[in-house]
Structure formats: C-alpha cells, structure tokens
Amino acid sequence: MKSYDIAIVGAGLVGQAIAAALVGGKTSLPSMQIALIDPAEGVAPAMPEKVDEYDLRVSALTAKTQAFLSRLGAWQQLPETVRKGYTSMHVWDAEGTGSVTFNAADLHVPALGHIVENNQTLWALQQVTAQADNIDMVRAAVQSFDNPDEQGYVPVTLSTGEQLQTRLLVGADGALSNVRQMSGIATREWDYEHRAIVATVRTEHSVADTAWQRFRPEGPLAFLPVHSDDHLASIVWSTVPEEADALLAMDDEAFKQALTSAFEGRLGQVTEVSSRQHFPLRQRHAKRYYEAGVVVAGDAAHTIHPLAGQGVNLGFKDAEVLAEEILRGVSKGLSPGSDAVLGRYQRRRQADNLATMAAMEAFKRLFAADQPLIRLLRNEGMRLFDKALPVKQHVVMQAMGLN
C-alpha cells in the first residue's frame, strides 16, 4: 500500500491548483508525496477556429486569481490570445432604465479581469503539476475510504482494486463530491429553479473588451468576450426551466433570433452559435469543511449562482489558503490532516464564502422581484450607484479580490 502525505481527489481546476501550490514557491516542501486521483484524462491545448471548437465553460478570473496562478507558474503558460482581458462591464435592468458601468480606467488597473476557457486554465495548471517529481497522477476513482488508523493514515480503496493511504484526503471532486458524501459532511442547499445555458456565439458588432449582462426577471443573460476575436462571446443564459426547455428545443436560427431579442440587440444580430449545453443551478454550502483526515474545497464545499462569475474564484481562494495552512502546519511538525491545520483553513475560508454566497442570493432575489415599487427603487438605486464613483471603486476592488 503506497503512502502519501496528501491525496487530492479531483484533478480539475481546484485540485490541480492545490497540488501546484503545495509544490511551488519558496514555502513548498519537496519531500511531501502527493497523489492526484482522477479517472479522467487531462486536457490537451487547443487553438480553436470555429465557434463549435471553443470550450463552452469559461471563467471570469479576477486579479487575485491571476496573481495566484502567476505565482504557481500557470498564468505564464497561457498564450495571450486565450486570456481575454475585459476593461469594462455594463449591467442593466431589463425592467427599466437603470444601468451600471464599471471601467478599469477608473481604478487605474489594466483590466477588470480575464475571461479564459476552463480547458485552457486546466491545461496550464497541468503543465505545472506534471513537472513535479513528488506528484503521482492516479487514473482511478475513489471507491471507499476509512477513518484514520493509529498512525494517522486514511486508507483509500480505488476503483481499480488498488489501495493507498494518506495523511490527508482532499475532496476537490466537484459539486456532487463523493468524498464529501462518503465522509458524512452535511450541506445546506436549495434549488435556484434556474438552468444555465452556455454556448459560444459570434455577434454582428464588436464585444469591445466588455462583459455585458442584462438582468431579466427570468434570470441574468451575460455575453463575455473570449479569445482575441472581438466578435466572439461566451454566453451564460440563466432562466427558468420552462424557458430553458423551449430554448434548447429550437434550431440554431430560432435560437439566434431569441438570443438577439433577449439581449435587446445590444451587439447587433447573433450570426453564429455553437452547440449548447445546460446545467441546473443550485446553491450548496458544506456545514463543515473537514472531518478526521478529510477536507473539501471548491465546488465540493460550495456552489453559487454564476451571475457574478465568482464560483471558480472562490475555489482558487480555497486552494491557495488550504495549501498555505498545510505548509504552515507541516513546517511546525503537524500532520497535514490534523484538526489544527484544517480548522485554520475552515476559519479563513468559510466566512468569505458565506458572504459572497449571501451577496449573490441577494442580487438574484432583487432582480427577480417584479413588484412595481421594487422595480422603481431598483432602477433608481442603480442610477445613483453608477454616479457614486468611490462606492463603485470599492465594490469592484472587492470583486477583484484587491480589498
């Protein structure tokens, strides 16, 4: 039975980032043995040319996330053509005239963030972890695990029938985390009664380095610039199940017309559309982030509405803090799976995650409300907020992680 200090279940964005943070930088401990456990093969780099060749899942990476990925050496792996910086954000209310515009120039920063396809970010992280001699890639799923033994090791049985043991088992295996469920970590969750439709589209007019979002009563619709082509956008269309079913049943021409209309033609006609994917939206938060020898991070610990693009950024914050606390604890002679280490991680991350989740829930409910008085107050509030530059600066700095 092979022994590891850390075994990370899930080799996606957060799992790869945790591994990379543990082996990179001045505070890393090269003697630690790490396993990345995932049955899926890694992604290959791609330079798409057609709308159907782009990854339908993209992330709006904040300045804080960019700095973290740069420290890991992953950001430098991304070609400039695939990390699309956006310098402005325009948000407006479909049920009135209220709107807010954010500009990088007002903050004296080069960009508000970067839109990057998830497979590109994942590939960049893979390049970092592949160079580490003390990381083993284990192509398997976790079938079961037990409580820590007398030596503090968690015995893990894999789908291949093989076994390993680890001082800390990390669940970075997504929203439906098997690690979380098998460890007995409970969650608070509820269904948003929304589905998100994602696709890549080409627009008649330039997206112009701007992230666009229209708040409809049925849910927000976002157009996000991707790659170096100014007429390409990744859409995230959140809506109620009935409308989602109707949209998914349309042929491409009908969908393009519906999308153009729903976006009020702000970017002209939608001229091309890729295949579409959809997924249900559900808020979920683990009541605890750890049990004996087991910890969860990223979507395994929390999921939120994508209306502000904060989900993956929260996951990267988890990865950064968990790695910091593991390295801090091990340097003081503690086991990486000790309560002292995992308790510090939970204290540092739980409050921030809860605050962000509460803010996203408040925004969703505010823009879903259709009472005339609330609409009036909402639109007037947006107009006042748009004129209050110091307040806008503070909010954007918080969103960028630069607080």
Side-chain angles (χ1 to χ4, degrees), residues 25-282:
K26 297 178 181 178
T27 59
S28 64
L29 300 173
S31 60
M32 280 203 305
Q33 295 302 307
I34 301 167
L36 261 174
I37 306 172
D38 198 313
E41 294 294 328
V43 299
M47 293 303 294
E49 297 179 355
K50 302 176 182 178
V51 291
D52 264 322
E53 296 174 349
Y54 290 84
D55 189 359
L56 299 186
R57 302 298 295 269
V58 305
S59 297
L61 304 180
T62 64
K64 181 174 177 59
T65 293
Q66 178 185 345
F68 174 50
L69 295 176
S70 295
R71 288 195 297 275
L72 300 182
W75 188 258
Q76 298 85 324
Q77 301 280 349
L78 291 169
E80 289 188 13
T81 53
V82 306
R83 52 191 204 205
K84 180 68 172 179
Y86 59 97
T87 56
S88 64
M89 179 185 298
H90 186 63
V91 178
W92 72 100
D93 190 346
E95 298 294 299
T97 58
S99 66
V100 178
T101 300
F102 303 96
N103 287 296
D106 294 337
L107 300 173
H108 310 291
V109 294
L112 296 176
H114 288 79
I115 309 296
V116 186
E117 295 162 276
N118 285 5
N119 64 0
Q120 298 285 356
T121 307
L122 180 57
W123 176 83
L125 285 164
Q126 287 174 178
Q127 306 318 297
V128 177
T129 56
Q131 297 171 19
D133 295 333
N134 56 328
I135 296 180
D136 289 346
M137 189 68 231
V138 181
R139 296 296 181 193
V142 170
Q143 183 174 312
S144 64
F145 56 87
D146 293 320
N147 293 326
D149 60 21
E150 294 179 357
Q151 287 74 43
Y153 281 98
V154 177
V156 180
T157 301
L158 304 176
S159 55
T160 57
E162 298 174 287
Q163 291 186 317
L164 59 83
Q165 59 182 8
T166 179
R167 294 187 182 278
L168 174 62
L169 186 67
V170 180
D173 49 342
L176 301 178
S177 168
N178 283 327
V179 171
R180 185 190 68 233
Q181 294 179 47
M182 287 189 286
S183 68
I185 294 176
T187 61
R188 293 186 181 92
E189 54 186 274
W190 61 87
D191 198 323
Y192 281 120
E193 298 182 351
H194 269 189
R195 291 191 208 162
I197 299 173
V198 293
T200 304
V201 302
R202 186 176 295 279
T203 58
E204 180 183 3
H205 303 319
S206 171
V207 184
D209 296 339
T210 300
W212 306 77
Q213 190 160 37
R214 181 184 186 222
F215 278 94
R216 306 164 64 238
E218 300 83 2
L221 170 58
F223 275 58
L224 307 173
V226 290
H227 278 248
S228 53
D229 189 331
D230 288 341
H231 291 265
L232 277 180
S234 175
I235 67 157
V236 183
W237 192 345
S238 301
T239 186
V240 295
E242 297 78 15
E243 184 177 42
D245 288 339
L247 292 169
L248 292 166
M250 293 177 180
D251 61 23
D252 286 355
E253 286 302 318
F255 182 81
K256 287 188 292 185
Q257 290 300 318
L259 181 57
T260 300
S261 175
F263 206 61
E264 298 181 332
R266 291 289 179 108
L267 297 173
Q269 293 292 318
V270 175
T271 59
E272 288 184 62
V273 62
S274 70
S275 59
R276 288 154 262 163
Q277 291 182 1
H278 68 102
F279 49 92
L281 299 179
R282 190 173 186 83

Side-chain angles (χ1 to χ4, degrees), residues 248-326:
L248 292 166
M250 293 177 180
D251 61 23
D252 286 355
E253 286 302 318
F255 182 81
K256 287 188 292 185
Q257 290 300 318
L259 181 57
T260 300
S261 175
F263 206 61
E264 298 181 332
R266 291 289 179 108
L267 297 173
Q269 293 292 318
V270 175
T271 59
E272 288 184 62
V273 62
S274 70
S275 59
R276 288 154 262 163
Q277 291 182 1
H278 68 102
F279 49 92
L281 299 179
R282 190 173 186 83
Q283 176 147 306
R284 180 182 292 107
H285 189 256
K287 294 180 180 180
R288 288 173 55 84
Y289 287 4
Y290 70 96
E291 290 293 344
V294 181
V295 68
V296 291
D299 283 355
H302 45 76
T303 58
I304 63 173
H305 199 288
L307 66 88
Q310 288 298 312
V312 72
N313 294 295
L314 293 180
F316 280 130
K317 286 182 180 181
D318 290 352
E320 184 174 18
V321 170
L322 179 58
E324 286 177 1
E325 292 305 332
I326 289 172

